[in-house]
Amino acid sequence: MAEEHSDVARRRWLVDIARWRPSPAQFQAAAALLPQHHHPAIARFVKEEDRKRALLSRLLQYSLVHHVLGIPFHQIDIRRTVEGKPYLENETPAFRNFNFNTSHQGDYVGIASELLCLVGLDIVCISKPQGETTMEFIKNFSSYLTDHEWNCIERAGGSVEMLTEFYRYWCLKEAFVKAVGAGVGFGLHRLEFHHVQWSNISVYIDGIESRNWRFCLFKLDEMHLASIAKGHPEDAVNSFKRTLSNVLVEEEEFYAALEIQEEAFTLHTVEQLTQLQN
């Protein structure tokens, strides 16, 4: 039964916001599906693209929770920890550690969910720096990179290859931080990633290799990357850990869930998300 629930709860969804060109009425109709308290956070953005990202990141959460757990939209209670990590307040006894994470940048908004493992998602847009060289841009983030990571970036090749290499590391670090529910104060330099041609990715935390985490990088298109981080519930920060009902999972069950092969994201339209409430 746990395996069956796990399959139902594991989702990887994407929306291409560039393809959604709503009229004001269509935008309002989509926003109306969400509780009223979300509306100011969406409306505060000046640019339409930012409002679309804010709306769709929330709509993805409600649509996914409804799809996986069958809870009606108006009964879904999504809250945030003090660090800003979204979590589901509704009691879900059969889905003990159900958790999810959203990300948006560039043309994509995405969500990932898991039943047992912590899950983090980060999407990056590989955009050429404006007003500075690639090296100058990357050096702005040097304090977040380890010597090993910095050396790998420098050896990647030309400016395009170096920029892509940097964003791969950045994407992985962000996915880990988001998975554990840590805030902006988490020192990204504490994480060091190793890989074999960007597969078999492992992480060293404070210099010690962790066996409890798995990572996967996805090339969404020529300009966008996504990363998924999966790890042990015990690694969650305290505020997020308190929202999980099964932190002390059986070792065999945890590693079985951890080793499940990642599959490609499912691309959804906004119309499909709005229909999921029915």
Side-chain angles (χ1 to χ4, degrees):
M1 186 64 72
E3 268 188 41
E4 181 181 326
H5 284 153
S6 181
D7 290 340
V8 171
R10 189 183 310 106
R11 290 290 179 267
R12 309 287 188 261
W13 289 359
L14 275 181
V15 176
D16 184 345
I17 67 166
R19 296 184 182 181
W20 188 46
R21 300 178 180 88
S23 66
Q26 289 171 326
F27 189 94
Q28 289 304 319
L33 297 173
L34 300 173
Q36 189 65 37
H37 67 265
H38 286 297
H39 293 192
I42 297 168
R44 70 185 176 90
F45 290 102
V46 176
K47 294 181 179 179
E48 181 187 11
E49 293 301 295
D50 292 331
R51 288 197 299 272
K52 283 162 63 174
R53 292 185 189 99
L55 167 59
L56 293 180
S57 65
R58 290 163 174 81
L59 187 58
L60 272 171
Q61 294 174 47
Y62 280 79
S63 297
L64 184 139
V65 168
H66 173 67
H67 177 76
V68 171
L69 303 177
I71 305 172
F73 264 49
H74 68 279
Q75 292 180 14
I76 295 172
D77 186 4
I78 293 175
R79 303 186 187 183
R80 288 179 179 267
T81 65
V82 292
E83 289 86 4
K85 169 82 170 177
Y87 68 93
L88 186 65
E89 179 70 11
N90 303 71
E91 291 286 335
T92 55
F95 294 81
R96 299 161 294 171
N97 280 358
F98 178 70
N99 68 111
F100 51 86
N101 195 219
T102 61
S103 183
H104 55 80
Q105 195 174 44
D107 290 343
Y108 293 99
V109 181
I111 191 167
S113 63
E114 285 284 334
L115 173 64
L116 198 63
C117 303
L118 301 182
V119 64
L121 165 66
D122 195 56
I123 297 171
V124 294
C125 179
I126 307 172
S127 52
K128 188 176 179 181
Q130 300 297 312
E132 58 185 341
T133 67
T134 295
M135 182 58 79
E136 287 170 341
F137 171 75
I138 297 173
K139 280 184 175 178
N140 294 329
F141 303 91
S142 60
S143 62
Y144 304 112
L145 301 165
T146 67
D147 290 342
H148 165 76
E149 292 166 341
W150 182 254
N151 290 336
C152 290
I153 291 169
E154 285 190 311
R155 294 198 305 266
S159 60
V160 173
E161 291 79 12
M162 288 176 60
L163 190 63
T164 302
E165 195 82 349
F166 161 74
Y167 273 116
R168 287 175 178 137
Y169 283 115
W170 188 262
C171 198
L172 290 166
K173 288 172 183 271
E174 286 288 329
F176 175 91
V177 171
K178 293 170 73 175
V180 300
V184 293
F186 187 94
L188 295 181
H189 63 280
R190 296 173 53 195
L191 307 173
E192 179 172 283
F193 287 91
H194 293 251
H195 61 89
V196 179
Q197 299 296 315
W198 290 109
S199 62
N200 298 324
I201 302 168
S202 60
V203 66
Y204 286 70
I205 306 171
D206 297 325
I208 301 171
E209 185 177 10
S210 173
R211 303 288 183 181
N212 291 337
W213 285 86
R214 298 293 182 271
F215 300 88
C216 190
L217 276 169
F218 299 84
K219 182 179 179 180
L220 304 180
D221 60 27
E222 291 303 315
M223 293 292 294
H224 297 82
L225 298 172
S227 64
I228 292 284
K230 286 167 48 179
H232 202 291
E234 283 190 326
D235 288 343
V237 300
N238 288 333
S239 63
F240 181 41
K241 194 181 293 185
R242 286 193 290 269
T243 73
L244 305 171
S245 56
N246 190 32
V247 174
L248 301 175
V249 297
E250 293 288 337
E251 185 172 315
E252 185 177 347
E253 187 181 10
F254 166 70
Y255 282 107
L258 190 67
E259 298 296 347
I260 292 174
Q261 198 73 20
E262 281 292 334
E263 297 180 0
F265 282 81
T266 301
L267 195 63
H268 283 283
T269 65
V270 176
E271 290 72 26
Q272 287 172 325
L273 294 182
T274 56
Q275 289 165 7
L276 283 175
Q277 68 151 332
N278 299 319

